[in-house]
Amino acid sequence: MKLNNEVRIAISGKSGCGNTTVSTLLSEKLGIKLINYTFRQLAAEKGLTLAQVIENAKTDDQYDVYVDTHQVELAKAESCVLGSRLAIWMLKEADLKVYLFASDDTRANRILKREGGDLQQIKDFTSMRDSEDSKRYMKLYQIDNNKYDFCDLIIDTANYNPEQIVDQIIAELLKRGFISL
């Protein structure tokens, strides 16, 4: 595959929808940079747990603002796949916007497989996280992260494996002339 010009692909979805997996596979297949800077990476850098960062972000907007602006700055610099909760809203220059979704149960089961733990606790935590994320995004940016109908592709990840999702995205990039075989 060959890029016909610079391309920026924004991929968003809630926790457990496959954002990181799909973004990683797509960037590898296209040979372009992956940008996936999230609360998880920020927590690791600061020596905090993800839950601590989420809790801190409830009262300190700097967590969100830093993550969101940092990743957009990185994405503007070169061809890339930007995978984040807000990529499709924040990277206005994206050439292709993709939203991945899955049911709450599907997401919780994926998180359980990835991280282990108790399924009900994961469901409760994920529900709390979704709610807190939505409140912050609305407060900070007036973004309703449940409205994504403007995206170029909306994919229910419960129906496909990550490779099939990447194939759908590549087909769209081919159709739009961003890449060629």
Side-chain angles (χ1 to χ4, degrees), residues 162-181:
E163 292 78 13
Q164 291 171 319
I165 296 167
V166 168
D167 288 345
Q168 288 181 51
I169 297 168
I170 287 174
E172 188 66 23
L173 290 167
L174 282 164
K175 183 174 123 184
R176 291 171 180 246
F178 288 109
I179 60 173
S180 52
L181 298 176

Side-chain angles (χ1 to χ4, degrees), residues 1-15:
M1 258 175 282
K2 176 184 142 233
L3 292 182
N4 293 334
N5 50 8
E6 282 197 357
V7 64
R8 286 164 188 81
I9 304 152
I11 301 177
S12 293
K14 294 180 181 179
S15 180

Side-chain angles (χ1 to χ4, degrees), residues 34-137:
L34 169 66
I35 300 169
N36 184 275
Y37 189 84
T38 65
F39 271 4
R40 196 172 299 280
Q41 284 79 24
L42 183 62
E45 287 176 13
K46 291 189 170 284
L48 301 170
T49 66
L50 176 59
Q52 287 172 314
V53 169
I54 292 168
E55 187 62 32
N56 292 348
K58 289 179 187 177
T59 57
D60 186 348
D61 295 342
Q62 291 180 47
Y63 285 87
D64 279 290
V65 172
Y66 178 76
V67 167
D68 299 333
T69 57
H70 184 62
Q71 65 189 0
V72 170
E73 288 168 5
L74 293 169
K76 287 181 178 181
E78 62 188 296
S79 288
C80 67
V81 176
L82 173 59
S84 78
R85 301 273 183 275
L86 292 179
I88 61 172
W89 291 277
M90 298 296 286
L91 187 59
K92 298 187 185 339
E93 302 83 357
D95 298 295
L96 187 69
K97 295 181 180 183
V98 180
Y99 190 82
L100 306 178
F101 73 94
S103 71
D104 292 346
D105 284 341
T106 297
R107 294 168 48 222
N109 280 302
R110 286 182 180 158
I111 294 167
L112 176 66
K113 276 187 195 173
R114 181 179 72 207
E115 299 173 11
D118 175 79
L119 183 60
Q120 189 57 52
Q121 286 180 341
I122 290 168
K123 285 182 179 183
D124 294 345
F125 179 78
T126 302
S127 175
M128 177 277 299
R129 183 177 181 188
D130 289 347
S131 174
E132 293 300 323
D133 285 351
S134 292
K135 287 177 195 170
R136 281 194 329 278
Y137 303 155

